[in-house]
Amino acid sequence: MRTELPRLRTERGWSQGELAERLKVSRQTVNAIETGKYDPSLPLAFRIARLFRKRIEEIFEPDGD
Amino acid sequence: MRERAPSSCYDPQVIAATLVLAAVIIGAAWAAKGFEKGSVPRIALASVQSLATAAVIFMSTWSLRRLDELQQRIQLQALAIAFAGTGIIVMGYRWLEMAGLPAVDWGTFTWPLMAFLWAAGFLYSNRRYS
């Protein structure tokens, strides 16, 4: 899964740790999502989308598309 | 959707409590050697070991529920490796015992083996997502 998360995060000047704190997850989870090693669950994807005021598909895109 | 506070499987309180319970289990086993089988103190000490083991299981479940979704996945993979690995090793060695190798007290060694395989599984799974 490709993600815009690193760009969105850096645009706001947040570290991975700060984003993790806002999402109530570990920094390891944020890092794994950003590097494409882990696809977030739907509830977490919604939390991320809500935090950045975007739709899920504006942040995440399947590799095949 | 319930948000979960970030937690870590390296929570010092969990590690400290686990070490205390492990000390209780080992200490009770050591103390029990001083009493005859079937005596009240020995049965009481065995009960203490059972209760401490139950507490370890309860605490492990509690600490797993506090982890976030990726950490839970890592733990699930580690536990699957430990569960399957222990089964394969115990069953495999049982066949070797029947073929003539020395008998092993699996009642004593199963838990340490499972803990070792869990640690190995955790390191393997954690590395995949680091």
Side-chain angles (χ1 to χ4, degrees), chain A residues 5-56:
Chain A
L5 196 56
R7 182 180 62 76
L8 293 168
R9 175 177 61 76
T10 49
E11 274 176 7
R12 283 158 179 76
W14 296 340
S15 66
Q16 286 186 340
E18 285 171 324
L19 177 58
E21 206 168 306
R22 288 168 195 269
L23 293 170
K24 309 285 185 199
V25 296
S26 63
R27 196 192 65 79
Q28 181 185 22
T29 300
V30 169
N31 182 61
I33 293 169
E34 287 192 355
T35 53
K37 291 176 181 170
Y38 174 68
D39 295 335
S41 68
L42 197 53
L44 179 55
F46 271 114
R47 282 197 338 246
I48 292 168
R50 206 169 288 152
L51 181 65
F52 290 106
R53 298 179 190 283
K54 291 191 177 293
R55 289 178 299 155
I56 288 176

Side-chain angles (χ1 to χ4, degrees), chain A residues 28 37, chain B residues 70-81 117-130:
Chain A
Q28 181 185 22
K37 291 176 181 170
Chain B
L70 174 59
Q71 292 171 330
Q72 283 185 345
R73 173 183 285 211
I74 290 168
Q75 289 294 335
L76 176 66
Q77 290 175 355
L79 289 169
I81 288 168
L117 289 174
W118 166 80
F122 174 78
L123 291 174
Y124 169 75
S125 300
N126 195 51
R127 198 172 164 179
R128 284 184 62 189
Y129 297 106
S130 296

